[in-house]
């Protein structure tokens, strides 16, 4: 089915074409008609499925012409997501006269004040900064027609739910609400009951499943050989861009430091870094200046970083959902990706929880030729486990396969 059959406005269809989209993704096919028909919507889809366009395209189509606003408010849990969703809205709206603005913390108020003063049709915001603007009288929400609560479970995790409720109370009752969440815990269910009117649910794929195009592997290792193994894996991988996830900010800084010492071009992303540093890290990673991004879970939710060939969990995530979010950075939009997880003896319970969560047993992999000091974890390796991937000469990349040849990056 073509985009042109979905009832979107001509200007928005032109934007879609300019974005290079040929066909709607499944969530777009199902969500766009519902939002156009004014229904409240609960969306649950894997990351990378095109959910931003699923709500942005119909909202822009209905708004159509500029008017006093904001008439659409999109709440996002992090600054990075807010910036990314604003960019997507701007792209889709480029042939419309509609104005899009973003408001998030960690940066000055000047530009945001100015944008709000000029008037916006679509405002993308993080809850805290939006409340600040409301408190300063910079923005009022009494004209909001479309409210989007994106990554609602993440907002809950980050303690934003009270802020979200305060914001909701300032929006007109007569509005359309869309909520996107990978999981629906009890608190979100309560929010749905309270804030939405007979919502339709659009669930694409199993809620918990990572993208099918991602290959998973677990690398058992003792905790004091983790860094050594990471370096060796990076040396042997034929990667374009890789994200290394760490549990703590301190750990991320430490790993990044070690990788830099070994001549990897590394950027770091965690919440102790300034907004400017975070933007520089993301921009540098996107445009290829940095080939490794070391990050805490702040980067795992919804960030649209294209062409991540590998995700490496240096630390096993504490929550199984975070595993799905982390590896959602790779294998996006049908591209192939690899997810490698380093597992120490202390991690076995967490790994078992992840395997239950994704309903999949992940192969334990041994890096041939690596000088393992401790091998007890391999005892659970089964004889039928998949063989290590084939070697391939560096530079002769085909697709995004593993590279297990002997050549070194240095
Ligand atoms: P999202 O799930 O919204 O983060 O989108 C994931 C990626 O898919 C983004 O890079 C979008 O630009 C891209 N995308 C969204 N819709 C389509 C589509 N219909 N065709 C191709 N790519 C798309």
């Amino acid at each position: 089915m073509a985009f042109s059959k979905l009832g979107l406005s001509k200007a928005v269809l032109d934007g879609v074409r300019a974005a290079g989209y040929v066909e709607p993704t499944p969530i777009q096919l199902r969500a766009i008609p519902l939002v156009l028909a004014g229904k409240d919507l609960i969306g649950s889809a894997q990351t990378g499925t095109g959910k931003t366009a699923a709500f942005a395209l119909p909202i822009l189509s209905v708004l159509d012409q500029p008017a006093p606003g904001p008439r659409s408010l999109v709440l996002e849990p992090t600054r990075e997501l807010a910036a990314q969703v604003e960019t997507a809205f701007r792209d889709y709206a480029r042939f419309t006269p509609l104005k899009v603005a973003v408001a998030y913390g960690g940066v000055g108020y000047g530009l945001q004040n100015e944008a709000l003063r000029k008037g916006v049709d679509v405002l993308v915001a993080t809850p805290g900064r939006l409340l600040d603007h409301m408190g300063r009288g910079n923005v009022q929400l009494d004209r909001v027609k479309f409210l989007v609560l994106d990554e609602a479970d993440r907002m809950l995790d980050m303690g934003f739910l009270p802020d979200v409720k305060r914001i909701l109370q300032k929006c007109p009752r007569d509005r359309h609400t869309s909520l996107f969440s990978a999981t629906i815990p009890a608190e979100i269910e309560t929010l749905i009951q309270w804030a939405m009117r007979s919502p339709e649910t659009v669930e694409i794929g199993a809620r918990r499943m990572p993208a099918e195009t991602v290959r998973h592997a677990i690398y058992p290792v003792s905790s004091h050989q983790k860094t050594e193994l990471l370096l060796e894996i990076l040396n042997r991988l034929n990667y374009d861009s890789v994200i290394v996830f760490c549990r703590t900010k301190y750990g991320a800084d430490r790993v990044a430091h070690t990788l830099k010492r070994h001549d990897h071009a590394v950027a770091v992303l965690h919440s102790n870094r300034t907004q400017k540093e975070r933007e520089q890290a993301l921009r540098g990673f996107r445009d290829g200046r940095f080939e490794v991004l070391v990050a805490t879970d702040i980067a795992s939710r919804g960030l649209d970083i294209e062409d991540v060939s590998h995700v490496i969990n240096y630390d096993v995530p504490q929550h199984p959902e975070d595993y799905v979010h982390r590896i959602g950075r790779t294998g996006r939009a049908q591209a192939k990706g690899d997810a490698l997880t380093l597992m120490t003896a202390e991690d076995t319970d967490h790994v078992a929880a992840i395997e239950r969560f994704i309903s999949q047993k992940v192969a334990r992999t041994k890096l041939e030729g690596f000088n393992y000091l401790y091998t007890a974890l391999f005892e659970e390796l089964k004889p039928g486990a998949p063989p290590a991937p084939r070697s391939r000469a560096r530079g002769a990349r085909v697709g995004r396969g593993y590279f297990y040849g002997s050549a070194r990056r240095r």
Side-chain angles (χ1 to χ4, degrees), residues 22-325:
V22 179
E23 279 184 356
T25 64
I27 189 158
Q28 290 163 3
L29 266 180
R30 297 191 42 206
I32 289 172
L34 290 173
V35 179
L36 284 175
K39 296 265 197 280
D40 279 7
L41 173 79
I42 299 171
S44 157
Q46 296 173 20
T47 51
T49 49
K51 81 177 150 84
T52 313
F55 61 82
L57 302 179
I59 288 175
L60 290 169
S61 288
V62 176
L63 296 185
D64 193 44
Q65 293 297 318
R71 287 175 298 150
S72 175
L73 174 65
V74 182
L75 292 182
E76 297 287 342
T78 64
R79 312 160 191 181
E80 283 80 7
L81 268 168
Q84 180 182 301
V85 168
E86 185 223 6
T87 306
F89 261 98
R90 276 185 196 280
D91 278 353
Y92 305 140
R94 76 178 85 160
F95 298 111
T96 75
L98 297 168
K99 285 197 237 158
V100 182
V102 69
Y104 48 73
V107 293
Y109 284 80
L111 288 174
Q112 296 176 11
N113 288 348
E114 200 180 314
L116 292 172
R117 196 175 43 76
K118 283 188 188 153
V120 295
D121 297 291
V122 177
L123 177 62
V124 183
T126 52
R129 179 55 69 99
L130 177 61
L131 283 169
D132 285 351
H133 279 297
M134 289 160 63
R136 292 165 178 231
N138 295 342
V139 65
Q140 285 185 343
L141 304 182
D142 54 351
R143 294 180 199 266
V144 170
K145 268 171 131 61
F146 292 98
L147 175 69
V148 180
L149 306 174
D150 198 13
E151 306 269 337
D153 48 353
R154 184 62 170 168
M155 294 210 261
L156 168 74
D157 289 350
M158 294 175 71
F160 288 151
L161 231 44
D163 285 355
V164 170
K165 285 188 184 154
R166 284 173 58 201
I167 292 168
L168 275 166
Q169 279 164 342
K170 299 289 180 196
C171 295
R173 273 173 185 277
D174 183 22
R175 57 156 202 266
H176 304 298
T177 309
S178 298
L179 177 142
F180 292 85
S181 199
T183 55
I184 310 282
E187 292 94 330
I188 302 277
E189 194 64 60
T190 313
L191 181 72
I192 289 172
Q193 301 291 340
W194 178 68
M196 301 182 78
R197 289 181 307 191
S198 335
E200 305 256 352
T201 300
V202 173
E203 196 168 341
I204 300 297
R207 202 177 267 171
R208 300 167 154 196
M209 295 314 265
E212 282 158 16
T213 49
V214 174
R215 290 190 303 183
H216 311 250
I218 286 174
Y219 287 78
V221 65
S222 72
S223 50
H224 56 273
Q225 277 198 299
K226 270 169 94 172
T227 311
E228 205 182 320
L229 182 65
L230 172 68
L231 283 166
E232 192 60 28
I233 288 174
L234 286 176
N235 281 341
R236 297 197 201 180
L237 277 184
N238 184 21
Y239 65 82
D240 295 324
S241 58
V242 50
I243 304 186
V244 177
F245 279 108
C246 297
R247 197 171 293 158
T248 64
K249 300 166 198 170
Y250 170 77
D253 283 336
R254 198 176 46 78
V255 167
H257 183 70
T258 308
L259 295 183
K260 273 182 206 158
R261 270 199 295 120
H262 286 79
D263 297 332
H264 292 280
V266 184
V268 192
L269 192 69
H270 60 58
S271 57
N272 270 10
R273 310 212 79 214
T274 63
Q275 180 61 19
K276 199 162 168 226
E277 287 170 330
R278 286 156 67 160
E279 277 166 13
Q280 276 168 353
L282 267 181
R283 201 174 317 120
F285 186 64
R286 283 201 180 105
D287 67 24
R289 252 181 309 132
F290 304 117
E291 46 189 6
V292 183
L293 179 69
V294 181
T296 56
D297 281 301
I298 194 172
S300 71
R301 299 259 175 165
L303 276 190
D304 184 26
I305 302 173
E306 278 177 32
D307 288 331
V308 174
S309 57
H310 296 77
V311 165
I312 301 181
N313 294 310
Y314 179 83
D315 294 313
V316 172
Q318 300 271 295
H319 304 293
E321 312 89 79
D322 284 335
Y323 180 80
V324 177
H325 284 292

